Amino acid sequence: RVLVTALYCDRLGLPPSFAEVLVNAVKAGGYALTHALLAWTWIQDNRCKLAVPDGFVEEMYRAVAAILEDRPTVVNDLKLEAAAFLCLARQGARVDPRFVQHVASIQNFDGGWGKLDNPDPAKPHESSWHSTILALLLLLHVQFPGTEVT
């Protein structure tokens, strides 16, 4: 719901409590945190207005970057999401280039990344569609960094 609300904010507006929803998502951490960052990015890209507490945006960026700093040699779906969404939010400088190089080096033989939670027994090594999309989004934004939206 958070993502859909942000994605269509230019058409449907934002509920009065939406800033609080984002603040709580950042406090929750994990995927709630990365989804809050994606929602914030879409709100900005759609030029929607949302008053958030002072320091909120920087706190969110730092919290998402901290996901990458925890066990830096480990790459998982959450870290791929954190890195890709930081780049999407024009915060790619917060993603260590060594992490990006490591992501590129661990591409699976089928061209994807990660593993499925419930793999098909006939394809036990099949990559995760979600991790693959995030890895490709990360690599795309590193290769072709976006420009600031004005």
Side-chain angles (χ1 to χ4, degrees):
R1 235 179 151 137
V2 169
L3 294 178
V4 171
T5 301
L7 183 60
Y8 293 107
C9 69
D10 58 334
R11 294 181 182 113
L12 303 176
L14 292 168
S17 63
F18 202 68
E20 183 180 347
V21 169
L22 292 183
V23 168
N24 290 336
V26 169
K27 288 178 185 174
Y31 285 104
L33 167 58
T34 56
H35 288 189
L37 175 56
L38 181 57
W40 179 253
T41 302
W42 286 343
I43 289 167
Q44 300 309 299
D45 288 351
N46 286 332
R47 293 173 169 49
C48 298
K49 302 292 183 216
L50 181 66
V52 294
D54 288 343
F56 167 76
V57 175
E58 181 60 27
E59 176 189 342
M60 178 174 52
Y61 291 154
R62 286 183 182 178
V64 174
I67 292 171
L68 299 174
E69 295 162 5
D70 179 44
R71 298 179 300 148
T73 59
V74 172
V75 175
N76 58 32
D77 189 77
L78 179 62
K79 286 186 175 193
L80 289 169
E81 187 162 292
F85 291 177
L86 280 168
C87 289
L88 195 62
R90 297 161 200 83
Q91 296 295 311
R94 296 176 190 260
V95 179
D96 189 326
R98 292 173 295 187
F99 177 80
V100 177
Q101 291 170 347
H102 187 52
V103 167
S105 75
I106 62 167
Q107 186 175 20
N108 294 335
F109 74 95
D110 65 357
W113 281 264
K115 299 266 184 259
L116 293 172
D117 290 336
N118 298 304
D120 179 345
K123 303 175 194 172
H125 302 292
E126 186 175 15
S127 294
S128 162
W129 66 268
H130 192 256
S131 294
T132 297
I133 289 170
L134 294 168
L136 291 172
L137 184 61
L138 169 63
L139 296 174
L140 174 71
H141 278 277
V142 168
Q143 185 67 36
F144 304 102
T147 57
E148 194 65 32
V149 174
T150 56

